[in-house]
Amino acid sequence: MKQRLIVTPDLCTGCRTCELACAFAHPIKGKPGRSRIYPLPTGKSEMWTPVVCLQCDDPACAKSCLVDAITRNEETGAMELDNDKCVKCMACVAACPFGCSLHDTLHDLVVKCDLCGGDPVCAHFCPTKALTCRPVTPTRRKAVV
Amino acid sequence: MVSLTINGRVVQANKGEMLLTVTRREGIDIPALCHHDAVEPFGACRLCMVEITKKEWDGWTNYVAACLYPVEDGLIVQTHSSKVNELRRTVLDLLLARCPNSPEIRQLAAEYGVTQTAYEEIPDADNCILCGLCTRVCERLGFKAISTVGRGHDKVVAPPLKEAPPDCVGCLSCAQVCPTNVIQYKDEGNKRTIWNKSFELIACKQCGKQIITRDFAEALSSQRNIPADYFELCDECHRKELSVKMGSIVSWSREAAS
């Protein structure tokens, strides 16, 4: 079942629990990895919002990847990056218009949100339900091309 | 699906998969320097040699490069038998004679008990093992800026005529995949230099962070149909922009509701 991570900025308090959950859900060699989700201030009356990959219908990251390392997981609907295929050219990091393809400089890896294989850990840990996950309904409106 | 035995363990694999892919998935550590999942297997470094046999071979065995050998039903594989380790030691001995100063080769050789090469070391050697991974990745990316030049002793990895390559866009993929880190580049100010060619790095309009070169961005825009203005900001400023936009959307909807 395709999943969609729903972000409700109204409810976000900027506690950064999602960031912590993400780092621990994606460990590298037993250590927390770089978080794929970033709570950032919106500049409007102390409102925060988690910034996370939108899993675009027409993704610039996959289009920019010249070795086809970023592909859609048809089961979860997430764009997933294969680190064994990645040649670290940084094309996706530069091309993503939302800045959600990230370079983990500590481990020298490119990382992005993969929806944790269909069950996003950040949504489980969000104390205010600013992040929720729900399956995409079949009657979803088609993208305007 | 085919079923084979690796180090005494029965393993399932898909038809057409290479042995190295299966062993890596099973968590068996086979050294391989010239292998990368982005490109077709090449079999240049000969370090992934394994021993194979079948029941019907009456005890006869064969030694094959795991990266190039497709899995077969009933195959019995030994990845670290004494004969295989002996083969790898010989290969590492030769590699050590070729690249005596490479820390990566030295470490791998030490793991197999080779600390000093039995052959004559090449004088003024560089660390290139001529596996051609850089040239293959460059070809896969579609730029074909570098290739192996010459034969035998004179073989080197170089751009055409050993001049600044006209097709290079400075993406650094060759340097990133090189197993012995031999390809040198320099990022200084807003200039990147690789293969004796100088490139302009795109600086983020807001914070000045540099990610890729202008030539690479132009190549991506024209080949992959990505709007050129996507490359004007860095990833961090893109995220900030998105958070501000989402804040505006929320405040609009609040105003509309009240």
Side-chain angles (χ1 to χ4, degrees), chain B residues 116-128:
Chain B
Q116 184 62 44
T117 177
Y119 301 90
E120 197 179 328
E121 287 181 2
I122 291 180
D124 58 59
D126 62 4
N127 291 343
C128 180

Side-chain angles (χ1 to χ4, degrees), chain B residues 55-205:
Chain B
K55 266 203 182 123
E56 57 266 33
W57 288 6
D58 293 332
W60 289 87
T61 56
N62 195 7
Y63 299 93
V64 294
C67 65
L68 279 170
Y69 199 84
V71 290
E72 287 169 25
D73 218 12
L75 205 65
I76 300 163
V77 185
Q78 285 293 331
T79 61
H80 287 82
S81 66
S82 57
K83 208 59 190 292
V84 169
N85 285 344
E86 190 56 45
L87 269 173
R88 283 195 198 131
R89 267 196 285 279
T90 310
V91 172
L92 284 163
D93 205 351
L94 287 160
L95 283 175
L96 209 53
R98 191 182 163 82
C99 319
N101 304 319
S102 163
E104 291 84 2
I105 301 286
R106 291 200 82 89
Q107 197 199 336
L108 195 58
E111 277 175 31
Y112 279 83
V114 185
T115 47
Q116 184 62 44
T117 177
Y119 301 90
E120 197 179 328
E121 287 181 2
I122 291 180
D124 58 59
D126 62 4
N127 291 343
C128 180
I129 59 164
L130 291 175
C131 65
L133 185 56
C134 49
T135 64
R136 284 179 287 140
V137 164
C138 194
E139 194 179 336
R140 176 77 174 81
L141 291 169
F143 300 118
K144 302 178 189 173
I146 49 170
S147 60
T148 49
V149 182
R151 294 277 184 280
H153 286 105
D154 301 328
K155 191 172 178 181
V156 283
V157 172
L161 304 172
K162 299 188 183 173
E163 289 168 0
D167 297 326
C168 183
V169 294
C171 67
L172 293 193
S173 296
C174 52
Q176 294 279 5
V177 296
C178 179
T180 52
N181 288 321
V182 70
I183 299 171
Q184 297 296 319
Y185 65 92
K186 215 191 260 176
D187 281 1
E188 253 176 1
N190 67 339
K191 285 267 178 288
R192 170 176 289 170
T193 315
I194 187 168
W195 298 113
N196 286 329
K197 193 179 175 187
S198 196
F199 299 93
E200 186 203 342
L201 285 161
I202 300 179
C204 170
K205 267 190 176 175

Side-chain angles (χ1 to χ4, degrees), chain A residues 64-91:
Chain A
S64 70
C65 187
L66 297 171
V67 294
D68 301 324
I70 305 179
T71 45
R72 171 108 40 206
N73 182 335
E74 290 301 335
E75 215 170 288
T76 60
M79 299 302 300
E80 287 182 359
L81 191 146
D82 183 350
N83 277 117
D84 291 333
K85 262 191 176 181
C86 174
V87 293
K88 288 174 261 180
C89 67
M90 300 296 144

Side-chain angles (χ1 to χ4, degrees), chain A residues 12-33:
Chain A
C12 180
T13 59
C15 70
R16 313 187 84 156
T17 308
C18 51
E19 208 175 325
L20 205 60
C22 185
F24 277 94
H26 298 92
I28 295 162
K29 290 178 192 155
K31 289 178 186 165

